[in-house]
Amino acid sequence: MGSVAPGGRAPQARSLPPPVYNPFKNAPATLIQPARLVTTGRPFSGNNVPPIQARTALVPPVRPLPKPTHPSASGNRSIQRRVAFASAPYVIQRMQSEVDVEMDVQEDGPSLARIPFERFLELVVEMVKSNVKTLAGKVRDNAAEIDRVAAQLTPASGPSAANCAAVYRDDHDLVAWNTNLLTKARDYYGCNAGPGAGVWDYVTDNTLGKHAEMKILDDQAFNEMTGGNFSGVYIGISKPCCLPCAAVMAIAGISTRGRHADKNTNWAFPRYILDSEDRWKRFLGAKATEALAERGLSSTQRSMFRGRLVQQL
């Protein structure tokens, strides 16, 4: 039995710290390269090592991992990042993986085919409005003589003062109103309407909300007078076009006095736009056309979209 220290307690053997693990002790020289400098202001946890100002180490090269793939079309993605941490006397590098919370989105934003229909309508209508503004151009008013003729076909005051007249002049005048004012035209021309008079005729289109210049554009007599070629055609209007009418005129290639910036209270699409898929797409614009094709609207939804569109334009 060994000696007993004063106080009756046997001396205890001092435990030595575990040896520091060196993962590169037997690594081939070709797998060892210098690591980055690591600076820290405090000793490492578990080691009685003085603060390290700069320590270099040898680490194996980190092979890049393959680019993570999306596990689903909903947008899950695994993001991997390289994390360096110190463990005296080496700097160890490892790969840490994080996974984003699953979201029903694509990398470039929400899919218009998946969002609620009401929200879809709002977004697509804004796309169309932006395209229509581009087509219509800036607010302007450059009246010509035929515009002043059109102004004579509507009263300057009274309940019908807000009405609008449009005139196309060729061998005779073709007249249209938002709401017909035949008496006013008879007073101006001094005769009844009809090509036989050789003076004026009027468009018999009573579509609710259809503006005067749109009625002329759709009229069979107008297309016969122009031969369907609108190049160089000018339609006189008693006041500048509204925004959607100006866009339609731009698509048709017809000149007018310009457009105003007031908000519409009532508007209807002309057949000139609705009867042609190409002109319909030009009115909507590329972004809205693509969104509608992706969504695949039913006939009821198409009617809802068109109704919402004329309200917002």
Side-chain angles (χ1 to χ4, degrees):
M1 181 179 292
S3 60
V4 179
R9 302 179 65 180
Q12 302 295 321
R14 297 181 59 185
S15 60
L16 298 176
V20 177
Y21 171 65
N22 181 358
F24 316 110
K25 181 177 180 180
N26 299 318
T30 56
L31 295 180
I32 299 178
Q33 63 181 14
R36 295 175 296 176
L37 292 177
V38 176
T39 302
T40 179
R42 64 179 186 275
F44 296 102
S45 175
N47 299 296
N48 294 323
V49 181
I52 301 173
Q53 299 304 321
R55 181 184 297 275
T56 61
L58 299 176
V59 299
V62 178
R63 297 181 180 178
L65 295 181
K67 185 177 181 180
T69 57
H70 290 60
S72 71
S74 63
N76 274 357
R77 55 191 184 276
S78 177
I79 299 178
Q80 295 180 332
R81 64 181 182 181
R82 186 170 297 170
V83 179
F85 63 95
S87 178
Y90 296 99
V91 176
I92 310 299
Q93 292 187 344
R94 64 186 175 89
M95 301 300 295
Q96 178 173 331
S97 177
E98 295 181 348
V99 179
D100 283 351
V101 177
E102 182 175 352
M103 298 178 294
D104 188 22
V105 298
Q106 296 177 346
E107 284 188 331
D108 55 350
S111 170
L112 291 179
R114 299 186 176 190
I115 64 177
F117 184 65
E118 281 297 319
R119 178 57 178 158
F120 172 80
L121 287 183
E122 293 177 7
L123 293 176
V124 176
V125 166
E126 287 303 316
M127 293 177 189
V128 177
K129 288 172 65 175
S130 176
N131 182 67
V132 167
K133 288 180 180 179
T134 300
L135 289 170
K138 295 181 179 180
V139 174
R140 63 199 183 280
D141 185 6
N142 301 314
E145 180 60 30
I146 194 66
D147 296 303
R148 287 183 275 274
V149 172
Q152 295 295 319
L153 302 179
T154 55
S157 60
S160 299
N163 204 341
C164 180
V167 179
Y168 172 66
R169 173 165 288 177
D170 191 22
D171 57 347
H172 67 279
D173 287 0
L174 182 63
V175 181
W177 295 268
N178 290 5
T179 303
N180 287 349
L181 295 172
L182 299 181
T183 302
K184 188 71 177 177
R186 282 195 294 265
D187 292 343
Y188 176 80
Y189 289 106
C191 63
N192 289 325
V199 180
W200 73 288
D201 194 8
Y202 70 100
V203 177
T204 56
D205 186 341
N206 297 318
T207 303
L208 182 64
K210 199 170 189 178
H211 289 191
E213 59 269 46
M214 299 294 98
K215 291 182 178 182
I216 287 185
L217 182 60
D218 281 348
D219 189 64
Q220 182 179 354
F222 172 71
N223 283 270
E224 292 175 353
M225 293 165 73
T226 60
N229 181 10
F230 302 150
S231 177
V233 170
Y234 188 99
I235 293 180
I237 315 173
S238 57
K239 61 187 68 174
C241 295
C242 66
L243 176 65
C245 281
V248 172
M249 289 302 194
I251 293 173
I254 296 175
S255 300
T256 65
R257 65 190 293 177
R259 78 169 181 92
H260 62 72
D262 297 339
K263 182 74 173 67
N264 270 332
T265 56
N266 201 4
W267 194 77
F269 274 103
R271 302 308 311 176
Y272 177 80
I273 294 294
L274 296 180
D275 290 346
S276 168
E277 183 178 357
D278 178 64
R279 292 192 287 265
W280 172 247
K281 290 180 179 179
R282 287 181 62 188
F283 186 89
L284 297 181
K287 290 184 178 179
T289 299
E290 182 179 352
L292 290 168
E294 179 187 2
R295 184 88 184 197
L297 302 188
S298 65
S299 58
T300 302
Q301 289 175 329
R302 285 196 296 270
S303 298
M304 292 176 61
F305 165 67
R306 192 177 299 172
R308 182 70 60 85
L309 191 57
V310 296
Q311 290 176 3
Q312 295 297 320
L313 291 175

